[in-house]
Amino acid sequence: MTMLGDRQRLAYIASQAADARLNVELETEGMTLNIGPQHPATHGTLRIICRLDGEQVVWAEPSAGYMHRGYEKLTEVRTFPQVTSLVNRIDWLGSFANEVPFILAAEKLMDIEAPPRAQHIRTILFELSRIANVSLFLGDLGVQLGAITPVFMAFRDREYVLNLIESATGGRFHPNFDRIGGLKDDLPKGWIEETRSVMRKLRTFCDEIDDLLFGNEIFQSRTRGIGVIPKDVALQYGMSGANLRASGVDYDLRRDQKIAMAWDKVDFKVWTHPDGDSFARCWVRLQETREATLIVEKLLDTLPAGPVMAKVPRIIKVPEGEAWVSTENPLGEMGYYVVSKGDLGPFRVKIRSASFNNISIVPWLLRGVYVPDVITILASLYFILGDIDR
Amino acid sequence: MGLKPKVPGLVKGLGVTFNTMMATITKGANTVQYPHEKEAPPLRARGVIALREDNCTSCMLCARSCPDWCIYIEGHKELAPPRRAGGAPRKVNKLDRFDIDYALCMYCGICVEVCPFDALFWSPEYEYSEPKIADLLHDKTKLGEWMETVPEAPELEVGADKKGKK
Amino acid sequence: MMLAVHFPYWAQSLLRVLGGLVAVLLPAGTIVYLFLFKMMSFMQSRLGPMEAGPYGSMQLFAEVGKWLQKEDIMPEKADHSIFKIAPLIVLASTFLLVAVVPFGPDAWFTNFETGVFYALAVSSVSVLGILIAGWSSANKYSLLGGLRAAGQLIAYELPMVLAVVGVVIQAGTMNLQKIVVAQNAGEIFGWNGLGNPYIITQFIGFAVFMIAVQAELTQAPFDMPIAESELVSGYMTEYSGFRFLIFFIAEFATAGVFALIASVLFLGGWGIPFSWFGWHNIDQVANWMNIVGPLIMFTKMMGLVFLIMWIRFSYPRFREDQLQRFAWKVLIPVSLGNIMLTAVLKVLF
């Protein structure tokens, strides 16, 4: 209760200060505007309380929690396979990527490793969900800024990736394919050829978005220099993923971490941008999508033969212990801290989701910014409500 | 900031939309005109669960492993004639009730995977929406009817281990 | 209207009213179907409405019917009488604007000597409607939209006026009918094969006019007042049912009418070059031009609206201050330069 009281008091003082400043300087009243929770621009039910002076934001605060589904409490009463199927739904656009760190944590506790073919296919599906997630971001970016056409192209080309995932796993959005010790099943016949042609189509899509959106002067004048996050501020606020790389920090968990996935078996480029403004964040994500298609093709070339499941008992009881695994998810760094007491299910799971930390910078970033730029900044930070609220 | 449009960038964008428009006019749209045309989902698509009643032994593994607890099973044991003459009568399981509530089901597939007797199968059939939510509770007759739509297991890719399961 | 039959005054007025309704609503309906439903869909790789009528042609009637039967909702704190009047003001300015557009040598509603002046003045009336719609809605988002609209629409009036001044200098008259005749009976450096459509000499003015029209219609890239992803619908947020229908029709009808005015001023209006038929002035123009003229106007209008809509569907939107900067620092100096250049060249040649 004391924590809540402190927070409320701080918010009250900040808003009073903002009002006082307005009243002294201009002798006008500020307007308090609620962006959300029902709003076309926030990716879900995020509420941002802004105090406006004309069209400029004087004070802003995000108020998350409208979509809290109680994941960490749910996992306490579910078994490991059930938790895997639930965890798909945290970041619902790149859903295979949510299962992977959880399964890896469980495998770490059991001290087993998935066979190489399973690791390869896991990485391929992980990169496919990255492509599905970020290509939607690229389309949605246009809508936030007023260009209504790119989003249809994004959905059209994303369909190919979703069809691929469906033919392999059975579910478009919620694959539920990862199991402790490997994967549920192997790939169906013809999948590799199909994937190669889809990757080519996606590169064409990236070029189209480059022409239609990024090359557009209006888009550039809307995003360059807006919402600049310097390197040290980004690190202090715990940003991760493309937001961090767009501020010039060369940090990518795929390359910098030794983990039981196949990223160390391929060469890929980590894209950074020195500016740290909205354009940089969008640009880095575009390049990452292209890079992901190249990674998938290289992984397909080197796919080893073999089983997809290690030798695990029928009823899996994970031994006692605690493990932390985090991976470079499409939205940023996502990690699971799994505490197990030797049961069928985990005792406690702490989910570190990327978007929650990414929007913690919003109060700092939105001061002195115009209302249309608020939308641009939120669009470029790219969060998913399921990821923030869990 | 001066806004002298450098013609190439803006014009290229116009070109993209124009080309898409011409492509749609000449080659047709990328969308499927449901309900006049329907797309066939892949063979592994998780559409609906089908029940093979003969194989089920009411072991309750599926009901226990469902994250939503949407499977309701009731059964009883009966005596069936012995396999060979002169033997003891066998205890056989008879299902009274096997309902799956599709209003709760989250299509995760744990029940199908966990069944040790191969009584549950996935079928890619997806057009079973009902106006009344109570009709979404499929009883064992209806689940048995879905068995006809279950496809054969697809072949696996090169490099897979030979014993692939569906 | 001068025809072989002499109509009594009441019949003439009735014909004028019906003609006005057709002149406004038919382009609006065609534009909505052809460009909003179909062209936008084709640009997005989809087919658009296909179910209502063959190829979705009855979709507009279905939509009109849908909006007409909706509940009339008004926010409690809204200013009731102003809230109700606002859409009507916007639609009224469209009708007033079409009254001065000539459709044929004898098919016109009114023939003012100061037609251009009247047209520009009356097109500003819609600004008032948008402003009071935003203010009376008792909604902070609508207020933001209304304020942005006020700044934008007033700022872009000036380039529109200045662009048209070049045409007036070149034609020597403000009468729209005489501008049409001047274009079709004119010649370019002695060659009268194409007439003298002012788009060739006034291309700068044409570009400025089309950009200003895009801004006056609050279409992307100048749709800050509506700004769908920020303000939901800007000044139109609280309107539903019949009132929204009026805003919707007014938006596309105004697009059509502005395109008609642009084709009159720059593309030669209802005429095809007179030299093709051996006419030299308006009295020699044949009577069948009264039937063909509206069709030619319709075609030219469709071409210009295609341009407007194409840009609308392809570009993101400007921010308000970038918008204003563009109008005041780029468009107005360019159009002023255009006027000076036209005046100098008119004197020289």
Side-chain angles (χ1 to χ4, degrees), chain A residues 176-189:
Chain A
N176 195 18
F177 202 52
D178 230 351
R179 300 282 178 268
I180 300 184
L183 296 170
K184 175 172 172 226
D185 214 343
D186 210 316
L187 303 168
K189 195 174 176 72

Side-chain angles (χ1 to χ4, degrees), chain A residues 32 34 39 55 144 149, chain C residues 140-141 148 229-230 313 317:
Chain A
T32 306
N34 264 327
H39 193 93
E55 278 227 5
Q144 310 286 32
T149 321
Chain C
K140 286 178 192 164
Y141 286 115
R148 287 175 179 177
S229 56
E230 305 163 26
F313 298 135
R317 68 175 67 99

Side-chain angles (χ1 to χ4, degrees), chain C residues 167-315:
Chain C
V167 169
V168 168
I169 293 180
Q170 201 170 353
T173 166
M174 283 212 259
N175 186 334
L176 284 169
Q177 184 78 294
K178 294 204 182 117
I179 294 182
V180 171
V181 170
Q183 288 185 68
N184 288 315
E187 26 181 67
I188 315 174
F189 294 124
W191 177 61
N192 63 357
L194 263 183
N196 187 11
Y198 290 149
I199 188 175
I200 297 182
T201 46
Q202 292 284 318
F203 57 91
I204 304 176
F206 179 68
V208 171
F209 188 75
M210 290 311 286
I211 296 178
V213 160
Q214 191 97 4
E216 283 294 316
L217 296 169
T218 59
Q219 307 273 25
F222 303 106
D223 69 345
M224 262 290 143
I226 305 182
E228 204 180 300
S229 56
E230 305 163 26
L231 307 178
V232 188
S233 256
Y235 59 89
M236 286 195 284
T237 316
E238 294 292 340
Y239 285 89
S240 61
F242 188 58
R243 301 185 214 285
F244 179 75
L245 182 64
I246 297 184
F247 267 126
F248 185 71
I249 291 183
E251 180 184 340
F252 289 97
T254 317
V257 172
F258 268 122
L260 283 171
I261 296 205
S263 59
V264 160
L265 290 173
F266 293 100
L267 289 180
W270 49 260
I272 23 187
F274 284 172
S275 58
W276 294 3
F277 297 98
W279 304 321
H280 292 285
N281 56 35
I282 190 167
D283 295 318
Q284 291 184 350
V285 178
N287 261 348
W288 53 260
M289 236 1 215
N290 282 318
I291 313 281
V292 176
L295 293 172
I296 297 181
M297 282 285 268
F298 193 72
T299 322
K300 291 182 182 172
M301 176 195 79
M302 281 294 157
L304 286 177
V305 175
F306 174 75
L307 261 181
I308 295 179
M309 293 284 153
W310 190 13
I311 294 190
R312 174 191 178 163
F313 298 135
S314 308
Y315 289 163

Side-chain angles (χ1 to χ4, degrees), chain B residues 78-110:
Chain B
E78 270 182 5
L79 286 179
R83 237 177 253 146
R84 295 185 299 267
R90 295 173 296 143
K91 287 220 186 78
V92 163
N93 179 71
K94 267 270 181 301
L95 271 181
D96 287 331
R97 177 184 179 212
F98 190 108
D99 294 339
I100 297 185
D101 188 359
Y102 282 105
L104 287 178
C105 174
M106 40 189 252
Y107 300 91
C108 63
I110 297 184

